[in-house]
Amino acid sequence: MSSEGLASRDAKKIVFEAFLFAVGFSALGVVVNLVRSDGIPLVPRAPIEIFVPCKEVSGEVKVLDPSDSLVFSEETFLIDAREKEAYEEWHISGAKNIPFDYLEGVDDAEVREIVRSSKKFVVVYGDGQDPDSGEQLAKELAGKGIRNVHFVKGGAKALRFRQ
Amino acid sequence: MKFFEWKGHRFIGFVVRLYLAYIFIYASIHKIIHPDSFAVDVATYQILPQSLVNIFAVTLPYVEIGAGLMLLVGFKIRQGALLVCLMMVMFLMALVIALAKGLNMSCGCFASQGVEEDPISFLTVLRDLAWLLLGVYVLIFDESFLSIDALLRRRR
C-alpha cells in the first residue's frame, strides 16, 4: 500500500476514534447528570430565561427650552417619547409617538421614517422625569446617526405648562 | 520537507499539548459543577433550539475534559487534538454569529460571569482562533513526547 493510502487510512482511523471518544464522553455526561442530585432535565421543562442587555447606543444631543421656537418649527420632526396612554391624553399637534423603551431599541423603520422626512431638526420630548425618557430617546436617535437631535428640558409637563 | 522534520516540534508540541490540556480541563470544571448556569450561557447565544440546550450543556463539558485529559496524559493525542479543533471551530462559529447579531453578552467560556467581566468581542474571536491553530499544530506535529502513546508504541 502506498504512503498516501496509509496516511488516508490513518486519518480515517483518527476521525473515527475521535468520534467514538466524543460519543463516549457525551454518554458519560448524560449518566453523571442522571445520577447527581442537582442534575438538570435533559429537555428544559420551561423556556430558559435569558437576559441580554442591549448595546448602549448614545450620541450627542442639545437641550431645548420649552419655549424655544424650534419645538413648533415647520422644519422640525417632533417626537413624543412617552407611553401611548400619556400621548393620547395630551400631545403637541403633529408630534409622532415613539415610546422610549429601556430594553428594546428604536425600531429601524421609525429611524428610516425620520431620515426620509427630510426635516432639518429632530426634537424629542418625554416625561420630564429623572431620567427623562425624551433625553434618553434623543440620545439613542443621535447614536443611530441622526443629526441635529434635541430634547425639551422638563418634557411634556413643561411644554403643557407653557401652553 | 525540512520544516516537518524539525526536531523542535517534539518539545514545542509537548508544551502546546499541555497548555491546551490546561485550557480545556480548566474550562470544563465550572460547566460540570454548574450545568444549570452553563445551560443559560448556551441559551443566551440563541443558536440552538431550547429543547437541545440542556443536553448540549450536559455533554459538552465532558467532551472538553475528556479531550483535555487525553492531551494531558498523551493518550490518543491526535484524536484528542482533533476533538479540541472541532470544538474550537464550533465555539468560533457561535462567537461570530453572536457578534453578528450584536448580542452584548458574556462569553461563558470558563465561568458564568457577567457581561462586564467577560464580554464577547473581536479579541475573543482572535483568542479562540489562536487556540484553534495550536490544536491544529498538535494534530499535525505532535511526536508523543512523554506520553502514554509513546509508551504503548515502545511495548509493541
Side-chain angles (χ1 to χ4, degrees), chain A residues 63-124:
Chain A
V63 192
L64 278 188
D65 190 81
S67 58
D68 197 296
S69 59
L70 209 60
V71 178
F72 307 97
S73 166
E74 290 277 312
E75 293 180 315
T76 294
F77 192 101
L78 190 61
I79 297 170
D80 186 324
R82 298 172 302 152
E83 293 299 317
K84 194 182 171 193
E85 293 75 29
Y87 172 81
E88 282 173 353
E89 188 203 325
W90 177 90
H91 63 268
I92 294 181
S93 175
K96 180 177 171 60
N97 186 216
I98 304 178
F100 175 69
D101 192 316
Y102 284 95
L103 293 177
E104 286 189 26
V106 182
D107 197 56
D108 285 345
E110 310 268 30
V111 177
R112 279 198 295 272
E113 187 187 337
I114 296 167
V115 174
R116 282 178 191 154
S117 73
S118 304
K119 302 273 187 182
K120 281 186 183 171
F121 308 98
V122 175
V123 174
V124 188

Short mmCIF file of all heavy atoms in Angstrom, two decimals, chain A residues 63-124:
data_model
loop_
_atom_site.label_atom_id
_atom_site.label_comp_id
_atom_site.label_asym_id
_atom_site.label_seq_id
_atom_site.Cartn_x
_atom_site.Cartn_y
_atom_site.Cartn_z
N VAL A 63 -29.94 70.52 24.37
CA VAL A 63 -31.10 70.77 25.24
C VAL A 63 -31.86 71.99 24.71
O VAL A 63 -31.26 72.99 24.30
CB VAL A 63 -30.64 71.07 26.68
CG1 VAL A 63 -31.83 71.03 27.63
CG2 VAL A 63 -29.58 70.09 27.13
N LEU A 64 -33.19 71.87 24.73
CA LEU A 64 -34.02 72.99 24.29
C LEU A 64 -34.89 73.47 25.44
O LEU A 64 -35.40 72.65 26.22
CB LEU A 64 -34.95 72.56 23.15
CG LEU A 64 -34.44 72.50 21.73
CD1 LEU A 64 -35.62 72.23 20.80
CD2 LEU A 64 -33.75 73.80 21.33
N ASP A 65 -35.09 74.76 25.50
CA ASP A 65 -36.04 75.31 26.46
C ASP A 65 -37.46 75.05 25.92
O ASP A 65 -37.66 75.07 24.70
CB ASP A 65 -35.80 76.83 26.57
CG ASP A 65 -36.57 77.41 27.72
OD1 ASP A 65 -36.09 77.30 28.86
OD2 ASP A 65 -37.67 77.96 27.46
N PRO A 66 -38.44 74.79 26.77
CA PRO A 66 -39.81 74.51 26.28
C PRO A 66 -40.38 75.62 25.41
O PRO A 66 -41.25 75.38 24.58
CB PRO A 66 -40.63 74.33 27.56
CG PRO A 66 -39.65 74.06 28.63
CD PRO A 66 -38.36 74.68 28.23
N SER A 67 -39.88 76.83 25.60
CA SER A 67 -40.43 77.95 24.82
C SER A 67 -39.68 78.17 23.51
O SER A 67 -40.02 79.07 22.74
CB SER A 67 -40.37 79.23 25.66
OG SER A 67 -39.02 79.47 26.02
N ASP A 68 -38.70 77.37 23.24
CA ASP A 68 -37.89 77.56 22.03
C ASP A 68 -38.75 77.36 20.78
O ASP A 68 -39.54 76.40 20.69
CB ASP A 68 -36.73 76.54 22.03
CG ASP A 68 -35.63 76.93 21.06
OD1 ASP A 68 -35.90 76.98 19.84
OD2 ASP A 68 -34.51 77.18 21.53
N SER A 69 -38.57 78.25 19.84
CA SER A 69 -39.40 78.21 18.62
C SER A 69 -39.16 76.95 17.79
O SER A 69 -40.01 76.54 17.00
CB SER A 69 -39.12 79.45 17.76
OG SER A 69 -37.75 79.45 17.42
N LEU A 70 -38.00 76.33 17.99
CA LEU A 70 -37.67 75.12 17.23
C LEU A 70 -38.67 73.98 17.49
O LEU A 70 -38.91 73.14 16.62
CB LEU A 70 -36.25 74.66 17.63
CG LEU A 70 -35.45 73.91 16.57
CD1 LEU A 70 -35.25 74.76 15.34
CD2 LEU A 70 -34.10 73.50 17.15
N VAL A 71 -39.25 74.00 18.70
CA VAL A 71 -40.21 72.94 19.05
C VAL A 71 -41.40 72.94 18.09
O VAL A 71 -41.90 71.89 17.69
CB VAL A 71 -40.72 73.12 20.51
CG1 VAL A 71 -41.74 72.04 20.87
CG2 VAL A 71 -39.56 73.12 21.50
N PHE A 72 -41.81 74.13 17.69
CA PHE A 72 -43.01 74.25 16.86
C PHE A 72 -42.68 74.59 15.40
O PHE A 72 -43.56 74.91 14.62
CB PHE A 72 -43.94 75.34 17.45
CG PHE A 72 -44.23 75.10 18.91
CD1 PHE A 72 -43.51 75.75 19.90
CD2 PHE A 72 -45.23 74.21 19.29
CE1 PHE A 72 -43.77 75.51 21.25
CE2 PHE A 72 -45.49 73.96 20.64
CZ PHE A 72 -44.76 74.62 21.62
N SER A 73 -41.41 74.50 15.06
CA SER A 73 -40.99 74.87 13.70
C SER A 73 -41.48 73.86 12.66
O SER A 73 -41.62 72.67 12.93
CB SER A 73 -39.46 74.96 13.66
OG SER A 73 -39.02 75.01 12.33
N GLU A 74 -41.69 74.39 11.45
CA GLU A 74 -42.10 73.55 10.32
C GLU A 74 -40.98 72.59 9.91
O GLU A 74 -41.22 71.56 9.29
CB GLU A 74 -42.43 74.45 9.11
CG GLU A 74 -43.70 75.26 9.26
CD GLU A 74 -44.93 74.46 8.91
OE1 GLU A 74 -44.91 73.81 7.86
OE2 GLU A 74 -45.89 74.46 9.70
N GLU A 75 -39.75 72.99 10.28
CA GLU A 75 -38.57 72.20 9.88
C GLU A 75 -38.19 71.14 10.91
O GLU A 75 -37.13 70.54 10.83
CB GLU A 75 -37.38 73.13 9.63
CG GLU A 75 -37.60 74.04 8.44
CD GLU A 75 -36.42 74.97 8.21
OE1 GLU A 75 -35.93 75.54 9.20
OE2 GLU A 75 -36.01 75.09 7.06
N THR A 76 -39.07 70.98 11.88
CA THR A 76 -38.76 70.05 12.98
C THR A 76 -39.59 68.77 12.90
O THR A 76 -40.80 68.82 12.65
CB THR A 76 -39.03 70.73 14.34
OG1 THR A 76 -38.11 71.80 14.50
CG2 THR A 76 -38.88 69.76 15.50
N PHE A 77 -38.91 67.65 13.09
CA PHE A 77 -39.62 66.38 13.25
C PHE A 77 -39.81 66.21 14.75
O PHE A 77 -38.86 65.97 15.49
CB PHE A 77 -38.79 65.22 12.69
CG PHE A 77 -39.55 63.93 12.54
CD1 PHE A 77 -40.02 63.52 11.30
CD2 PHE A 77 -39.79 63.12 13.64
CE1 PHE A 77 -40.72 62.33 11.16
CE2 PHE A 77 -40.50 61.93 13.51
CZ PHE A 77 -40.96 61.53 12.26
N LEU A 78 -41.05 66.35 15.22
CA LEU A 78 -41.33 66.36 16.66
C LEU A 78 -41.74 64.96 17.13
O LEU A 78 -42.60 64.31 16.53
CB LEU A 78 -42.45 67.37 16.93
CG LEU A 78 -42.73 67.71 18.39
CD1 LEU A 78 -41.50 68.31 19.07
CD2 LEU A 78 -43.92 68.68 18.50
N ILE A 79 -41.12 64.54 18.22
CA ILE A 79 -41.37 63.18 18.73
C ILE A 79 -41.78 63.24 20.20
O ILE A 79 -41.15 63.94 21.01
CB ILE A 79 -40.11 62.29 18.60
CG1 ILE A 79 -39.75 62.13 17.12
CG2 ILE A 79 -40.34 60.92 19.24
CD1 ILE A 79 -38.39 61.47 16.90
N ASP A 80 -42.84 62.51 20.52
CA ASP A 80 -43.29 62.36 21.91
C ASP A 80 -42.82 60.98 22.38
O ASP A 80 -43.24 59.95 21.85
CB ASP A 80 -44.83 62.45 21.95
CG ASP A 80 -45.37 62.44 23.37
OD1 ASP A 80 -44.79 61.74 24.23
OD2 ASP A 80 -46.37 63.14 23.62
N ALA A 81 -41.90 60.97 23.37
CA ALA A 81 -41.28 59.70 23.79
C ALA A 81 -42.03 59.01 24.93
O ALA A 81 -41.56 58.01 25.47
CB ALA A 81 -39.84 59.96 24.22
N ARG A 82 -43.22 59.55 25.30
CA ARG A 82 -43.94 58.97 26.44
C ARG A 82 -44.75 57.74 26.01
O ARG A 82 -44.86 57.43 24.82
CB ARG A 82 -44.87 60.02 27.05
CG ARG A 82 -44.12 61.24 27.61
CD ARG A 82 -45.09 62.32 28.02
NE ARG A 82 -45.93 62.73 26.90
CZ ARG A 82 -47.16 63.23 27.02
NH1 ARG A 82 -47.69 63.37 28.21
NH2 ARG A 82 -47.84 63.58 25.94
N GLU A 83 -45.34 57.09 26.99
CA GLU A 83 -46.19 55.93 26.72
C GLU A 83 -47.41 56.36 25.90
O GLU A 83 -47.81 57.54 25.93
CB GLU A 83 -46.67 55.30 28.03
CG GLU A 83 -45.56 54.66 28.86
CD GLU A 83 -44.87 53.53 28.11
OE1 GLU A 83 -45.57 52.72 27.48
OE2 GLU A 83 -43.62 53.48 28.15
N LYS A 84 -48.03 55.39 25.23
CA LYS A 84 -49.15 55.68 24.33
C LYS A 84 -50.32 56.36 25.05
O LYS A 84 -50.93 57.30 24.53
CB LYS A 84 -49.63 54.35 23.72
CG LYS A 84 -50.54 54.52 22.53
CD LYS A 84 -51.00 53.17 22.01
CE LYS A 84 -52.09 53.35 20.97
NZ LYS A 84 -52.77 52.11 20.64
N GLU A 85 -50.59 55.90 26.30
CA GLU A 85 -51.73 56.44 27.06
C GLU A 85 -51.52 57.93 27.34
O GLU A 85 -52.44 58.75 27.18
CB GLU A 85 -51.91 55.70 28.40
CG GLU A 85 -52.33 54.24 28.27
CD GLU A 85 -51.20 53.34 27.83
OE1 GLU A 85 -50.02 53.63 28.11
OE2 GLU A 85 -51.50 52.32 27.15
N ALA A 86 -50.29 58.27 27.77
CA ALA A 86 -49.98 59.67 28.08
C ALA A 86 -50.05 60.52 26.80
O ALA A 86 -50.53 61.66 26.82
CB ALA A 86 -48.58 59.76 28.68
N TYR A 87 -49.60 59.93 25.70
CA TYR A 87 -49.62 60.64 24.40
C TYR A 87 -51.07 60.92 23.99
O TYR A 87 -51.40 62.02 23.52
CB TYR A 87 -48.92 59.78 23.36
CG TYR A 87 -49.02 60.27 21.93
CD1 TYR A 87 -48.17 61.28 21.45
CD2 TYR A 87 -49.96 59.72 21.05
CE1 TYR A 87 -48.26 61.72 20.13
CE2 TYR A 87 -50.04 60.15 19.74
CZ TYR A 87 -49.20 61.15 19.28
OH TYR A 87 -49.30 61.59 17.98
N GLU A 88 -51.92 59.89 24.17
CA GLU A 88 -53.32 60.06 23.76
C GLU A 88 -54.05 61.07 24.62
O GLU A 88 -54.97 61.75 24.17
CB GLU A 88 -54.04 58.69 23.78
CG GLU A 88 -53.67 57.86 22.57
CD GLU A 88 -54.20 56.45 22.62
OE1 GLU A 88 -54.77 56.06 23.66
OE2 GLU A 88 -54.04 55.73 21.60
N GLU A 89 -53.62 61.15 25.87
CA GLU A 89 -54.27 62.12 26.78
C GLU A 89 -53.95 63.55 26.36
O GLU A 89 -54.81 64.43 26.34
CB GLU A 89 -53.79 61.86 28.20
CG GLU A 89 -54.54 62.68 29.24
CD GLU A 89 -53.73 62.85 30.51
OE1 GLU A 89 -53.00 61.91 30.87
OE2 GLU A 89 -53.81 63.93 31.10
N TRP A 90 -52.70 63.80 26.02
CA TRP A 90 -52.27 65.13 25.56
C TRP A 90 -50.97 65.01 24.78
O TRP A 90 -50.06 64.27 25.18
CB TRP A 90 -52.04 66.07 26.76
CG TRP A 90 -51.53 67.42 26.34
CD1 TRP A 90 -52.29 68.51 26.01
CD2 TRP A 90 -50.16 67.82 26.16
NE1 TRP A 90 -51.48 69.56 25.65
CE2 TRP A 90 -50.16 69.16 25.73
CE3 TRP A 90 -48.94 67.18 26.30
CZ2 TRP A 90 -49.00 69.88 25.46
CZ3 TRP A 90 -47.77 67.90 26.03
CH2 TRP A 90 -47.80 69.23 25.61
N HIS A 91 -50.89 65.72 23.69
CA HIS A 91 -49.62 65.84 22.97
C HIS A 91 -49.65 67.09 22.11
O HIS A 91 -50.72 67.63 21.81
CB HIS A 91 -49.33 64.59 22.12
CG HIS A 91 -50.32 64.34 21.03
ND1 HIS A 91 -51.42 63.55 21.19
CD2 HIS A 91 -50.37 64.81 19.74
CE1 HIS A 91 -52.12 63.52 20.05
NE2 HIS A 91 -51.50 64.28 19.17
N ILE A 92 -48.49 67.52 21.70
CA ILE A 92 -48.41 68.68 20.81
C ILE A 92 -48.83 68.23 19.42
O ILE A 92 -48.41 67.16 18.95
CB ILE A 92 -46.98 69.26 20.78
CG1 ILE A 92 -46.66 69.84 22.15
CG2 ILE A 92 -46.83 70.33 19.70
CD1 ILE A 92 -45.28 70.46 22.24
N SER A 93 -49.66 69.03 18.81
CA SER A 93 -50.17 68.68 17.48
C SER A 93 -49.01 68.42 16.50
O SER A 93 -48.07 69.23 16.43
CB SER A 93 -51.04 69.83 16.98
OG SER A 93 -51.44 69.57 15.67
N GLY A 94 -49.09 67.32 15.81
CA GLY A 94 -48.06 66.99 14.82
C GLY A 94 -46.95 66.11 15.37
O GLY A 94 -46.10 65.64 14.61
N ALA A 95 -46.94 65.89 16.70
CA ALA A 95 -45.88 65.06 17.29
C ALA A 95 -46.15 63.59 17.02
O ALA A 95 -47.29 63.14 17.10
CB ALA A 95 -45.79 65.30 18.78
N LYS A 96 -45.09 62.86 16.69
CA LYS A 96 -45.24 61.41 16.47
C LYS A 96 -44.88 60.69 17.77
O LYS A 96 -43.91 61.03 18.43
CB LYS A 96 -44.29 60.96 15.35
CG LYS A 96 -44.39 59.47 15.07
CD LYS A 96 -43.51 59.06 13.92
CE LYS A 96 -43.45 57.55 13.79
NZ LYS A 96 -44.72 56.89 13.55
N ASN A 97 -45.68 59.71 18.11
CA ASN A 97 -45.43 58.96 19.35
C ASN A 97 -44.48 57.78 19.10
O ASN A 97 -44.78 56.85 18.36
CB ASN A 97 -46.78 58.44 19.89
CG ASN A 97 -46.63 57.77 21.25
OD1 ASN A 97 -47.32 56.80 21.55
ND2 ASN A 97 -45.76 58.26 22.07
N ILE A 98 -43.29 57.88 19.71
CA ILE A 98 -42.33 56.75 19.69
C ILE A 98 -41.97 56.49 21.15
O ILE A 98 -41.01 57.08 21.68
CB ILE A 98 -41.06 57.07 18.86
CG1 ILE A 98 -41.42 57.48 17.44
CG2 ILE A 98 -40.12 55.87 18.83
CD1 ILE A 98 -40.22 57.86 16.57
N PRO A 99 -42.73 55.65 21.84
CA PRO A 99 -42.46 55.43 23.27
C PRO A 99 -41.05 54.89 23.48
O PRO A 99 -40.64 53.94 22.81
CB PRO A 99 -43.52 54.41 23.70
CG PRO A 99 -44.57 54.48 22.65
CD PRO A 99 -43.87 54.83 21.38
N PHE A 100 -40.33 55.50 24.44
CA PHE A 100 -38.97 55.05 24.73
C PHE A 100 -39.02 53.79 25.58
O PHE A 100 -39.76 53.71 26.56
CB PHE A 100 -38.17 56.13 25.45
CG PHE A 100 -36.81 55.69 25.87
CD1 PHE A 100 -35.83 55.44 24.92
CD2 PHE A 100 -36.51 55.45 27.20
CE1 PHE A 100 -34.57 54.99 25.29
CE2 PHE A 100 -35.25 55.02 27.59
CZ PHE A 100 -34.28 54.79 26.63
N ASP A 101 -38.23 52.78 25.18
CA ASP A 101 -38.17 51.52 25.92
C ASP A 101 -36.71 51.27 26.28
O ASP A 101 -35.85 51.24 25.41
CB ASP A 101 -38.72 50.39 25.03
CG ASP A 101 -38.95 49.12 25.83
OD1 ASP A 101 -38.05 48.78 26.65
OD2 ASP A 101 -39.99 48.48 25.66
N TYR A 102 -36.46 51.08 27.59
CA TYR A 102 -35.08 50.89 28.04
C TYR A 102 -34.48 49.58 27.51
O TYR A 102 -33.28 49.47 27.35
CB TYR A 102 -35.01 50.87 29.57
CG TYR A 102 -35.13 52.26 30.16
CD1 TYR A 102 -36.36 52.74 30.58
CD2 TYR A 102 -34.02 53.07 30.27
CE1 TYR A 102 -36.48 54.01 31.11
CE2 TYR A 102 -34.12 54.35 30.80
CZ TYR A 102 -35.36 54.81 31.22
OH TYR A 102 -35.46 56.07 31.73
N LEU A 103 -35.33 48.60 27.27
CA LEU A 103 -34.81 47.29 26.86
C LEU A 103 -34.77 47.12 25.34
O LEU A 103 -33.83 46.57 24.79
CB LEU A 103 -35.65 46.17 27.47
CG LEU A 103 -35.55 46.06 28.99
CD1 LEU A 103 -36.47 44.98 29.51
CD2 LEU A 103 -34.11 45.77 29.43
N GLU A 104 -35.81 47.61 24.67
CA GLU A 104 -35.85 47.45 23.21
C GLU A 104 -35.51 48.77 22.54
O GLU A 104 -36.09 49.80 22.86
CB GLU A 104 -37.23 46.97 22.78
CG GLU A 104 -37.44 45.51 23.12
CD GLU A 104 -38.70 44.94 22.51
OE1 GLU A 104 -39.14 45.46 21.47
OE2 GLU A 104 -39.23 44.00 23.10
N GLY A 105 -34.62 48.73 21.62
CA GLY A 105 -34.21 49.94 20.92
C GLY A 105 -35.30 50.44 19.98
O GLY A 105 -36.31 49.78 19.77
N VAL A 106 -35.05 51.60 19.42
CA VAL A 106 -36.00 52.17 18.46
C VAL A 106 -36.02 51.29 17.21
O VAL A 106 -34.96 50.85 16.74
CB VAL A 106 -35.57 53.60 18.06
CG1 VAL A 106 -36.57 54.22 17.10
CG2 VAL A 106 -35.42 54.47 19.28
N ASP A 107 -37.22 51.06 16.72
CA ASP A 107 -37.38 50.25 15.53
C ASP A 107 -36.69 50.94 14.33
O ASP A 107 -36.76 52.17 14.20
CB ASP A 107 -38.88 50.11 15.25
CG ASP A 107 -39.15 48.97 14.31
OD1 ASP A 107 -38.74 47.86 14.62
OD2 ASP A 107 -39.76 49.22 13.25
N ASP A 108 -36.02 50.14 13.51
CA ASP A 108 -35.32 50.70 12.34
C ASP A 108 -36.27 51.44 11.40
O ASP A 108 -35.89 52.43 10.76
CB ASP A 108 -34.58 49.59 11.58
CG ASP A 108 -33.33 49.15 12.32
OD1 ASP A 108 -32.90 49.89 13.24
OD2 ASP A 108 -32.79 48.07 12.02
N ALA A 109 -37.52 50.96 11.33
CA ALA A 109 -38.50 51.60 10.44
C ALA A 109 -38.77 53.03 10.90
O ALA A 109 -38.95 53.94 10.08
CB ALA A 109 -39.79 50.79 10.44
N GLU A 110 -38.78 53.22 12.23
CA GLU A 110 -39.01 54.58 12.78
C GLU A 110 -37.84 55.49 12.42
O GLU A 110 -38.03 56.65 12.05
CB GLU A 110 -39.13 54.51 14.32
CG GLU A 110 -40.09 53.47 14.85
CD GLU A 110 -41.48 54.03 15.07
OE1 GLU A 110 -41.86 54.96 14.34
OE2 GLU A 110 -42.18 53.50 15.95
N VAL A 111 -36.62 54.92 12.54
CA VAL A 111 -35.42 55.71 12.21
C VAL A 111 -35.46 56.11 10.73
O VAL A 111 -35.19 57.26 10.37
CB VAL A 111 -34.13 54.91 12.51
CG1 VAL A 111 -32.89 55.70 12.11
CG2 VAL A 111 -34.05 54.57 14.00
N ARG A 112 -35.85 55.14 9.89
CA ARG A 112 -35.92 55.43 8.44
C ARG A 112 -36.95 56.52 8.15
O ARG A 112 -36.72 57.40 7.33
CB ARG A 112 -36.26 54.15 7.66
CG ARG A 112 -35.05 53.25 7.43
CD ARG A 112 -35.32 52.26 6.31
NE ARG A 112 -36.38 51.32 6.69
CZ ARG A 112 -36.15 50.18 7.34
NH1 ARG A 112 -34.92 49.85 7.67
NH2 ARG A 112 -37.12 49.38 7.66
N GLU A 113 -38.07 56.47 8.87
CA GLU A 113 -39.12 57.48 8.66
C GLU A 113 -38.60 58.88 9.00
O GLU A 113 -38.87 59.83 8.27
CB GLU A 113 -40.34 57.14 9.53
CG GLU A 113 -41.53 58.05 9.22
CD GLU A 113 -42.69 57.84 10.18
OE1 GLU A 113 -42.79 56.75 10.78
OE2 GLU A 113 -43.50 58.79 10.32
N ILE A 114 -37.84 58.97 10.08
CA ILE A 114 -37.28 60.27 10.48
C ILE A 114 -36.31 60.77 9.41
O ILE A 114 -36.37 61.93 9.00
CB ILE A 114 -36.55 60.15 11.84
CG1 ILE A 114 -37.55 59.77 12.94
CG2 ILE A 114 -35.86 61.46 12.20
CD1 ILE A 114 -36.90 59.33 14.24
N VAL A 115 -35.46 59.87 8.94
CA VAL A 115 -34.47 60.27 7.93
C VAL A 115 -35.17 60.70 6.63
O VAL A 115 -34.82 61.72 6.03
CB VAL A 115 -33.50 59.09 7.64
CG1 VAL A 115 -32.57 59.42 6.49
CG2 VAL A 115 -32.68 58.77 8.89
N ARG A 116 -36.20 59.94 6.23
CA ARG A 116 -36.90 60.24 4.97
C ARG A 116 -37.73 61.52 5.05
O ARG A 116 -38.11 62.07 4.02
CB ARG A 116 -37.81 59.06 4.59
CG ARG A 116 -37.02 57.92 3.97
CD ARG A 116 -37.93 56.77 3.65
NE ARG A 116 -37.16 55.58 3.30
CZ ARG A 116 -37.60 54.36 3.46
NH1 ARG A 116 -38.80 54.13 3.95
NH2 ARG A 116 -36.85 53.34 3.11
N SER A 117 -38.05 61.97 6.26
CA SER A 117 -38.90 63.17 6.39
C SER A 117 -38.17 64.41 5.87
O SER A 117 -38.81 65.42 5.57
CB SER A 117 -39.26 63.38 7.86
OG SER A 117 -38.13 63.83 8.59
N SER A 118 -36.84 64.36 5.78
CA SER A 118 -36.02 65.47 5.30
C SER A 118 -36.16 66.73 6.15
O SER A 118 -35.87 67.84 5.68
CB SER A 118 -36.35 65.82 3.84
OG SER A 118 -36.18 64.70 3.04
N LYS A 119 -36.62 66.57 7.38
CA LYS A 119 -36.69 67.73 8.29
C LYS A 119 -35.27 68.06 8.77
O LYS A 119 -34.43 67.15 8.90
CB LYS A 119 -37.58 67.42 9.50
CG LYS A 119 -39.00 67.01 9.13
CD LYS A 119 -39.88 68.22 8.99
CE LYS A 119 -41.32 67.76 8.80
NZ LYS A 119 -42.24 68.89 8.62
N LYS A 120 -35.04 69.35 9.06
CA LYS A 120 -33.69 69.75 9.45
C LYS A 120 -33.38 69.40 10.90
O LYS A 120 -32.22 69.21 11.26
CB LYS A 120 -33.53 71.26 9.26
CG LYS A 120 -33.29 71.67 7.82
CD LYS A 120 -33.00 73.15 7.76
CE LYS A 120 -32.81 73.60 6.32
NZ LYS A 120 -32.74 75.05 6.22
N PHE A 121 -34.41 69.37 11.73
CA PHE A 121 -34.19 69.15 13.17
C PHE A 121 -35.10 68.02 13.68
O PHE A 121 -36.19 67.80 13.15
CB PHE A 121 -34.49 70.43 13.97
CG PHE A 121 -33.78 71.63 13.46
CD1 PHE A 121 -34.42 72.54 12.62
CD2 PHE A 121 -32.44 71.86 13.79
CE1 PHE A 121 -33.76 73.65 12.12
CE2 PHE A 121 -31.78 72.96 13.29
CZ PHE A 121 -32.43 73.87 12.45
N VAL A 122 -34.62 67.37 14.72
CA VAL A 122 -35.45 66.39 15.42
C VAL A 122 -35.55 66.86 16.86
O VAL A 122 -34.53 67.10 17.52
CB VAL A 122 -34.84 64.98 15.36
CG1 VAL A 122 -35.65 64.00 16.20
CG2 VAL A 122 -34.74 64.49 13.92
N VAL A 123 -36.77 67.03 17.33
CA VAL A 123 -36.97 67.46 18.72
C VAL A 123 -37.79 66.39 19.43
O VAL A 123 -38.83 65.97 18.94
CB VAL A 123 -37.70 68.83 18.79
CG1 VAL A 123 -38.04 69.18 20.24
CG2 VAL A 123 -36.82 69.91 18.17
N VAL A 124 -37.27 65.96 20.58
CA VAL A 124 -37.94 64.90 21.34
C VAL A 124 -38.35 65.45 22.70
O VAL A 124 -37.58 66.17 23.35
CB VAL A 124 -36.99 63.70 21.57
CG1 VAL A 124 -37.75 62.53 22.19
CG2 VAL A 124 -36.33 63.27 20.28
#
